[in-house]
Every structure is written in structure tokens, then in C-alpha cells.
Amino acid sequence: MPRPAKAPADPTPTTPAKSAPQKALEKLGLVRPIDLALHIPLRYEDETQIALLKDCREGDQAQIEGEVTACEVAYRPRRQLLVTLEDGTDTCTLRFFNFYPSQQKQLAVGQRIRARGELRGGMFGWQMLHPVCKSAGGALPTALTPVYPTVAGLPQPYLRRAVLSGLEHAARIGALDDTLPTAALEAPGTAALWSLQRALSFLHYPSPDVSVAQLEDRSHPAWQRLKLEELLAQQLSQLQSKRERDALRAPVLQARCQGLRDQLLAAIPFSLTAAQQRVGSEIAHDIAQPIPMHRLLQGDVGSGKTVVAALAAAVCMDAGHQCALMAPTEILAEQHFRKLIGWLEPLGIQVAWLTGSQKTKERREMLALIASGQAGLVVGTHAVIQDKVQFHRLALAIIDEQHRFGVKQRLALREKMVSQPVDAPNLKINRPPALQNIAGAAIKNEADDFDRAPSMEPHLLMMTATPIPRTLAMSYYADLDVSTIDELPPGRTPIVTKVVSDARRGEVVQRIRAQIDAGRQVYWVCPLIEESEALDLTNATQTHEELSSALQGTVLLAAIGGKSQRQPIMVGLLHSRMLPADKKAVMAQFTSGQMQVLVSTTVIEVGVDVPNASLMVIEHAERFGLSQLHQLRGRVGRGAAASACVLMYGTGDSGKLGENARARLKVMAQSNDGFEIAKQDLEIRGPGEFLGARQSGAALLRFADLTTDTQLLHTARQLAPLMLDQHKDLTEKHIARWLGGRVDYLKA
Ligand code: ADP
Ligand code: MG
């Protein structure tokens, strides 16, 4: 290792009380020696050379050495210490506005000192503002000096010593030993791989001749090693949890010929797209295994995920088990409930409904239906995972819009299975006679053999309309199986998206009028104002009033019985503060077509399905994220009519759109493809925000960058199974090094 700038000193105090810097270290998560060793510098300072003033240029970060020829406190324009330093080639004035008497002593006339800072030229010659000074003499360091990311109360010199001692300590106890199997190190493409110890020593104290560009863009071999290590840890831990899961048991759910699934297929008014059929059979294959499925079903908004889920549910119920479907909002849950009841009730399935706002009596009835097994399918919001809910034979859990749920909630749903009573009788499904004949004694019910080992898990199907870009899925979702619906049902016309300024509100209202006259419906979404829900509401209420008066008039409604009649145009309002019953009433009016315009806050963001709606207006679209905009836009274009989305932006006081907002709106105008949008979103926001710590629950990658390190990601993906199969000890060691105490890493 090159000689560091400062001699190491052990920061561990002899007294048990923790010092402020120590507490700060802990706050940064720098506890174990390896944590310190992995605390990589933000940048470096070059203290390895002394510059001569005559060779310097304006703006240089320079270290100069010379004799103090003047040192005085001046009072104009304000109190300051002025020191003149002479290095034999020129002089430089060092200026300090804050200084201590001790500094004055250090910088007294006749002292030889070293000063480092940014050089400025000027009328009075060279100057340095607040340079770092120390006595001259002493050997120059041979490596660059690291500057670490830090927090208040943790001075750089203290942190430097702590990291260096951590690095040495880690090396001593073998925490930096190579965990990559020798075979891996000899694999093609890894020939130039540095050892971890070499890489870390270098990154903390690089030799001065290093290519700064290679350090900055992290393409240096030392960086490559560090990133591969990190990606490998991520792959290993996920592969490990996947294998643990594979050791668990789940009920085998097999579709029967002419069973419930086939009957449902025959009953729905359309035929499945090829993509729906493909993902359907992927799911069918998984749930027919005695191993719990963990599958993510991704498909753009409107691609028809619901019916795929319903078909899986049918297989599950046909085998005598229960299925739960959880949605993030009440509106969405209710919509699923209605749709599924329409499909399943005629087939003899009882569907239960659970939500937080339910009346006690109804809720009690539902809970009884669920506990007794009479309800084959349970649809609801978060209420589905509450303590009181006792399933009878839950075997399939479906989570819609999974990105809206946290890891905790996903775990809770899985645990429902484990908490089921052990000796429950069979699920009673009240089937119509025709079905009962088919399901007669000849066909053995899977549920009869169901062995209730405590480790029995439900199959898990997660659905999302926010597609995860491929590299991200390979990295953060490596333990999940992914099915993708990459095709929309036929007959949809692409949505035309227009980006217009707020100033053209009048034209937008005209456009709404034209849609209403054509018998179509319109959404108007008001922005979310983060700091204030109340303000949100005022906005939506105001817009609602404005639109109501601007759109006054009548509309021709096709009434039942063939006679059409004129009715006043109806503009509705929906926001999150409304009582659930009122929300429900408004949604029902809009769904039935009685209401032409629905003004709402983002409560309609996910999943709402009203095919007659053909225009979506989003106000202050610049305040929304890309995936949110795409989801909102996906509320239209669900029928055969040409649909449009108007993104209205306000420019605020500055009169200009921010750079990011402009980029987002441009992406929206150019693409209707959820995957393309997700990719751009990832580029604009980075994986941290894209995934949202809340939903991933995962430690985010600190070093690797998925946009540039795909090659390393592939290497890590190849190495992980090999290591897990052949080098258990090395695997453990590697995971411990990188993930330490965080063992709950991505298990749900
Ligand atoms: P999402 O994937 O966004 O949840 P939905 O499941 O709500 O989409 O489906 C959107 C609409 O498309 C629904 O009205 C649904 O009934 C309809 N649909 C689904 N599959 C097909 C298909 N294969 N052909 C025609 N319409 C379909
Ligand atoms: Mg949906």
C-alpha cells in the first residue's frame, strides 16, 4: 500500500462512553471493520507535490510551501488575518476571516509552512482563501489523500484515521480474503480482476499517477472488482432466499379438463391474446408444483392482467382452495370485486369482499364466509391481511399493483396461510348441478390430500403495470420469476398525447365539450400537492366548479327502452377525503355513463376501467412522475374509440419548466410503451427512486450502476449459482461481508 498522508491511530477510546464522532460513525453504519473498509472516498486531494507559485495558474488546487514574511490582523472591510507567504518564486496572501489565536502563532513571521487551497489571481498578486495549513517539512505522502462522505460531528481527519484502521483491522482478521472461487477468477473476462484487498487499498489511497478519469467514471480495475463483489452479494442473497423458498411446500393446484377454468374461459366475452395465453400457462405450470410460486406478472396498463389472475384463481378454487386478491385502493378493489363476481358467481363461486370502511355487520358476515371456506375468493384492500381475517384454505394470494404495497404487507399475506386452523373441513363451494356432476366422485379433490405442514405456503402472484426494466429486474428481482404480457388486446387505437401550456385551458374545455357531444366520457386529474392535502382539495373543488359552469348544457342520453332523452351534463368530483360510500356513488355514476366528466385527485391512478372514457386531462402534469402519468393515461384508450391525453403544464413563477419535468413530458408525448417509459424513468430518476426503498425493502446498490455495469451483472449472475452449489462457506462469508445484519434482504 502506498504511504498514506496521515499516520494511523486507533479511534477506539479507552473509556466506554461514546464520543460524538463515534456516534456519527454509527449513524453512517460504519460499525464493523469491513464497513469502514467499504466506505469509499468521495474524491481525493493531491498532497503529494509542492507547486511553485511561478508555475501555477489561476484556479489551481495547489499545495505551496514557503516562509511567512508578514502576519497581521486587518479590519477592513471586516476583521481578518492576512498572512504573506514567500516560496522563493513569488508571494501569496493567505486570507482568513475566522481564525484562532493558535493559528496566528502557527503562522507567525519566520515560520515555514505548507498551505493548500485554490489559487486566485488578483490586483495584489496570488491569494488563497482559508487554505489548509501545516508546518513545512516532513515527508510528502506518496498517495492521494481521500476525502470521505461524512456527516456533521465527524471531522475528516478522524474519519480518515477510522477508515484506515478499519481497513487494516479487516485485513488482519481475514475479512478481505477473497471469496471468489479460484475457478471464477480464471473465467474468461475476469482475467484482469484485482483482489478485493488490493482494490480497497487502492481506492482509499490511490497512487498519484492514477488516471483520475478512470477513478471518476469507476472503470478502474479496482472499481470493477468492488462492483462485481457487490453485485455478486446481491445475486447470492436472492438466490439463497429463492432456494430456501423452494424447500417449502405449497398446495398443488392443477387445472381440470372442463373445470372451473375452462368454464370461465368460455364465459368471458373475448378470447385471450397470445401473450395472455403464454403468461397464463407459465402461472398454471408454477401453481401445479408443490413449491410456492413467486411470480411477478407485468403488463402495460390495459394489457388484461385481471383475467389472467382470475383464471389462476379458478384453478385454485376448483382444487378446493381459497384465493385472495388484494388491491391498493378501495376503488380498485371494488372494481375487481364487481368484475369477478360477474364472472364467477354464475359458476357457483361465492366472492367475499373486505375493506377497511365496511360496516361491522357486513364485515362479520364476510369474515365468517372466509373462515368457513364458503367464500372461494376474497377480494379487498389491506383489510385482507388484518389479524382478524382467518382463511380456511388459502392457497393463492394475488397482489395487484404490487409496487404500491410494502414488503411487510406482502409478508403478512403469506403468513395468513401458516395461521390457518389445522383441522379445517373441506372448502364448500356451492356449485350449480352441472358442475357438480363434472366434479363428481370420480375426480379426487386435491384438497383431500392436502398435508397441513406448518411450512405450507400460498402461491404468490404479484401484478404490476409499472414494468421493471430488464437490468433492474435481473438485479433487484433476481429471486422472482417474471411473466410479461407484451401485447395489448386487439382493436385498441393508440392514445394521442398532447403537451400544452396552462394558458390554453379554454381550448381544452372545448375539446371536452366535443367528446361529451360524441357520447364519450372524460377524466380530469388534479395534481397532488405534497405538503398539503387540504390545498389539494381546494384545487380539485375549484376545478370542479369551473368545469361545471363552463360545460353547462344538456346531453343526449340513450335511455333504456330505446328512447333517448336529454339530460343536464354532469360533472363529478372524487377525492381521497370523501367517505367511501360517496366515492362509490360517484364511481358508479361515471361507470354507468350517467356522468360525463370526472374531476379527481390521483385516487383514480391505478386500475380503473371505464372503456367509454376517451379523454384524459392531467392538470399540472409537470408535478407527476413518469410512471404515474403513464398509469393515468392508461385509464383511456380502453375501448375502440380514438383516445387522447392532454398534459397541461403550469410554469409557475419562473415562467419556465424545469429540465426534468420537460424531459418527462417529452417522453410521454413520444411513447405509449410502458417498457420504454420505465426505461427512461430509470434513467431520469435512478434506481433508488425508481424502486422506492419502501417497495423494494432492498439494500440499494452503492457502487454498481446498472446502466453501465451490465457486463458485471451478467458475470455475477453466472457466478452466483456456481458458488452456492459448490462453495457454501465462501457464499456465507461473502454475504456476511456485504449485507452484514441485513438478512431480511428482499425476501418478500
Ligand atoms: P390491466 O392489465 O391494466 O389490469 P385489465 O385487466 O383491467 O387491464 O383489462 C383492461 C380491459 O381489457 C378490461 O376491460 C378487460 O376486460 C379487457 N380485456 C382483457 N383481455 C382482453 C382480450 N384478450 N380481448 C379484449 N379485451 C380484453
Ligand atoms: Mg389492473
Side-chain angles (χ1 to χ4, degrees):
M1 198 191 311
R3 205 183 154 281
K6 295 248 161 79
D10 195 347
T12 324
T14 44
T15 49
K18 279 184 191 137
S19 65
Q22 257 190 323
K23 283 188 200 145
L25 278 181
E26 268 174 40
K27 207 165 108 192
L28 282 175
L30 305 180
V31 181
R32 306 171 303 165
I34 184 69
D35 301 330
L36 286 155
L38 291 174
H39 194 60
I40 304 299
L42 206 55
R43 57 185 177 84
Y44 304 90
E45 273 165 6
D46 191 349
E47 293 178 307
T48 62
Q49 288 175 46
I50 305 279
L52 293 178
L53 280 168
K54 74 172 166 58
D55 302 331
C56 287
R57 275 178 314 188
E58 167 97 42
D60 278 359
Q61 281 290 340
Q63 176 165 252
I64 53 176
E65 185 174 299
E67 191 180 321
V68 176
T69 54
C71 177
E72 57 178 28
V73 178
Y75 287 91
R76 241 165 291 153
R78 55 186 254 227
R79 188 167 178 270
Q80 53 185 289
L81 180 68
L82 293 174
V83 175
T84 309
L85 190 73
E86 203 149 307
D87 79 343
T89 67
D90 205 343
T91 61
C92 178
T93 306
L94 315 180
R95 195 185 289 271
F96 302 86
F97 288 108
N98 303 304
F99 56 95
Y100 300 102
S102 61
Q103 258 170 316
Q104 259 170 288
K105 224 159 107 195
Q106 183 199 11
L107 301 172
V109 174
Q111 295 285 351
R112 281 193 64 79
I113 60 160
R114 234 173 241 174
R116 191 166 44 78
E118 188 186 325
L119 268 178
R120 305 231 179 107
M123 237 193 308
F124 309 106
W126 290 118
Q127 289 205 18
M128 268 188 193
L129 187 64
H130 290 167
V132 180
C133 297
K134 55 182 155 194
S135 308
L140 287 167
T142 57
L144 299 182
T145 307
V147 179
Y148 293 103
T150 188
V151 290
L154 186 56
Q156 207 52 242
Y158 184 96
L159 184 53
R160 241 171 235 155
R161 284 196 301 274
V163 169
L164 185 60
S165 114
L167 186 65
E168 289 175 345
H169 190 167
R172 257 196 327 273
I173 59 175
L176 304 183
D177 291 357
D178 226 298
T179 44
L180 296 192
T182 332
L185 294 168
E186 285 157 5
T190 52
L193 209 58
W194 284 28
S195 75
L196 179 65
Q197 178 150 3
R198 180 177 172 206
L200 284 177
S201 302
F202 186 85
L203 287 176
H204 287 289
Y205 291 102
S207 46
D209 57 355
V210 66
S211 145
V212 177
Q214 270 198 338
L215 275 187
E216 274 172 5
D217 72 9
R218 302 185 170 187
S219 63
H220 191 278
W223 268 111
Q224 296 290 304
R225 171 58 201 245
L226 193 63
K227 294 195 283 193
L228 177 63
E229 280 266 320
E230 180 181 42
L231 289 165
L232 183 61
Q234 190 190 40
Q235 293 296 320
L236 281 174
S237 84
Q238 290 184 66
L239 195 59
Q240 202 175 42
S241 70
K242 186 171 162 62
R243 297 226 172 144
E244 278 165 19
R245 227 167 43 224
D246 287 351
L248 299 174
R249 299 238 298 120
V252 172
L253 308 173
Q254 212 142 21
R256 288 180 307 127
C257 185
Q258 313 226 333
L260 205 53
R261 181 180 189 277
D262 290 353
Q263 293 171 44
L264 177 57
L265 259 182
I268 52 174
F270 47 77
S271 49
L272 298 184
T273 61
Q276 282 171 319
Q277 282 174 21
R278 191 190 65 243
V279 302
S281 45
E282 285 164 2
I283 294 166
H285 170 268
D286 282 6
I287 60 178
Q289 310 301 313
I291 299 162
M293 166 174 80
H294 251 220
R295 193 169 273 280
L296 181 69
L297 172 58
Q298 50 178 10
D300 213 340
V301 275
S303 61
K305 295 183 288 294
T306 316
V307 67
V308 173
L311 291 168
V315 175
C316 168
M317 293 182 288
D318 210 16
H321 294 280
Q322 280 175 307
C323 173
L325 171 64
M326 184 162 80
T329 66
E330 196 149 314
I331 287 181
L332 186 55
E334 164 146 12
Q335 187 160 306
H336 281 318
F337 178 63
R338 297 210 169 286
K339 187 162 248 172
L340 292 167
I341 251 194
W343 285 341
L344 293 169
E345 245 178 17
L347 304 178
I349 297 290
Q350 202 161 357
V351 185
W353 161 244
L354 275 182
T355 149
S357 67
Q358 210 156 23
K359 294 231 166 63
T360 322
K361 179 163 167 285
E362 187 188 72
R363 186 176 171 74
R364 212 177 296 136
E365 286 167 12
M366 291 295 169
L367 287 177
L369 284 179
I370 298 165
S372 71
Q374 273 167 290
L377 176 62
V378 182
V379 180
T381 57
H382 298 72
V384 172
I385 49 170
Q386 273 158 13
D387 292 343
K388 289 230 179 77
V389 186
Q390 268 284 350
F391 284 90
H392 179 74
R393 292 197 152 208
L394 178 65
L396 173 63
I398 303 172
I399 303 181
D400 196 17
E401 308 295 349
Q402 67 95 28
H403 59 284
R404 301 273 301 252
F405 289 101
V407 170
K408 240 169 66 197
Q409 291 153 331
R410 274 182 263 160
L411 280 174
L413 193 52
R414 277 174 62 195
E415 265 146 31
K416 281 287 165 202
M417 179 94 181
V418 184
S419 66
Q420 292 171 78
V422 174
D423 56 350
N426 272 348
L427 175 58
K428 293 181 218 92
I429 295 179
N430 191 12
R431 294 194 177 119
L435 183 63
Q436 235 142 35
N437 289 342
I438 303 166
I443 295 156
K444 201 159 170 244
N445 195 334
E446 254 307 314
D448 298 340
D449 302 332
F450 184 24
D451 173 20
R452 288 180 183 280
S455 64
M456 203 58 120
E457 294 256 325
H459 297 284
L460 190 58
L461 178 64
M462 294 172 268
M463 306 202 284
T464 183
T466 305
I468 299 156
R470 219 175 101 75
T471 47
L472 214 56
M474 285 195 305
S475 166
Y476 286 95
Y477 290 80
D479 68 327
L480 286 189
D481 297 304
V482 179
S483 287
T484 306
I485 306 185
D486 51 7
E487 150 186 40
L488 290 180
R492 306 260 169 95
T493 43
I495 306 164
V496 177
T497 300
K498 286 249 150 51
V499 179
V500 306
S501 142
D502 229 350
R504 291 168 63 188
R505 220 179 161 91
E507 286 169 53
V508 177
V509 174
Q510 272 173 17
R511 205 163 166 162
I512 295 177
R513 178 102 226 182
Q515 290 298 307
I516 297 175
D517 289 342
R520 307 252 159 236
Q521 289 164 280
V522 178
Y523 292 103
W524 181 296
V525 178
C526 298
L528 187 77
I529 297 164
E530 265 178 35
E531 311 82 61
S532 157
E533 213 182 318
L535 212 55
D536 235 21
L537 197 56
T538 324
N539 253 11
T541 317
Q542 216 171 338
T543 305
H544 175 243
E545 275 166 23
E546 270 172 37
L547 278 180
S548 300
S549 66
L551 293 170
Q552 264 181 15
T554 59
V555 65
L556 200 60
L557 278 190
I560 311 149
K563 262 187 273 165
S564 294
Q565 60 188 75
R566 295 204 76 82
Q567 275 197 2
I569 290 176
M570 194 170 170
V571 180
L573 174 63
L574 195 65
H575 57 77
S576 50
R577 290 265 190 94
M578 279 161 69
L579 291 176
D582 296 340
K583 276 191 206 169
K584 209 187 247 185
V586 171
M587 262 333 277
Q589 283 172 322
F590 192 66
T591 311
S592 73
Q594 212 183 333
M595 177 184 287
Q596 290 73 39
V597 182
L598 181 61
V599 176
S600 99
T601 52
T602 44
V603 286
I604 61 154
E605 183 192 340
V606 284
V608 177
D609 187 25
V610 179
N612 190 47
S614 59
L615 177 60
M616 164 67 65
V617 179
I618 304 176
E619 198 179 350
H620 279 298
E622 79 280 2
R623 294 186 194 160
F624 291 90
L626 260 181
S627 77
Q628 222 179 357
L629 287 174
H630 182 61
Q631 293 257 357
L632 284 170
R633 179 171 62 181
R635 296 313 109 213
V636 296
R638 303 196 146 222
S643 292
C645 174
V646 176
L647 302 176
M648 265 200 314
Y649 62 87
T651 49
D653 300 335
S654 70
K656 265 196 292 206
L657 261 184
E659 197 180 318
N660 262 358
R662 183 183 300 274
R664 284 199 299 272
L665 296 182
K666 193 168 157 204
V667 170
M668 285 300 292
Q670 283 172 350
S671 180
N672 266 317
D673 175 353
F675 277 89
E676 179 57 30
I677 291 172
K679 219 175 94 200
Q680 302 276 352
D681 197 19
L682 177 62
E683 257 163 50
I684 296 174
R685 289 197 295 165
E689 274 192 67
F690 183 91
L691 288 164
R694 187 180 77 111
Q695 85 110 350
S696 71
L700 289 169
L701 293 169
R702 290 154 65 190
F703 303 124
D705 176 350
L706 294 175
T707 53
T708 52
D709 297 327
T710 37
Q711 192 49 52
L712 289 172
L713 177 61
H714 283 292
T715 309
R717 277 171 71 87
Q718 279 166 2
L719 276 176
L722 186 140
M723 271 182 75
L724 209 53
D725 287 337
Q726 296 170 18
H727 304 277
K728 271 255 166 312
D729 47 332
L730 292 179
T731 301
E732 294 300 327
K733 199 166 169 182
H734 192 91
I735 292 179
R737 170 189 294 160
W738 280 91
L739 301 170
R742 284 179 303 193
V743 281
D744 56 344
Y745 186 77
L746 252 195
K747 287 234 169 115

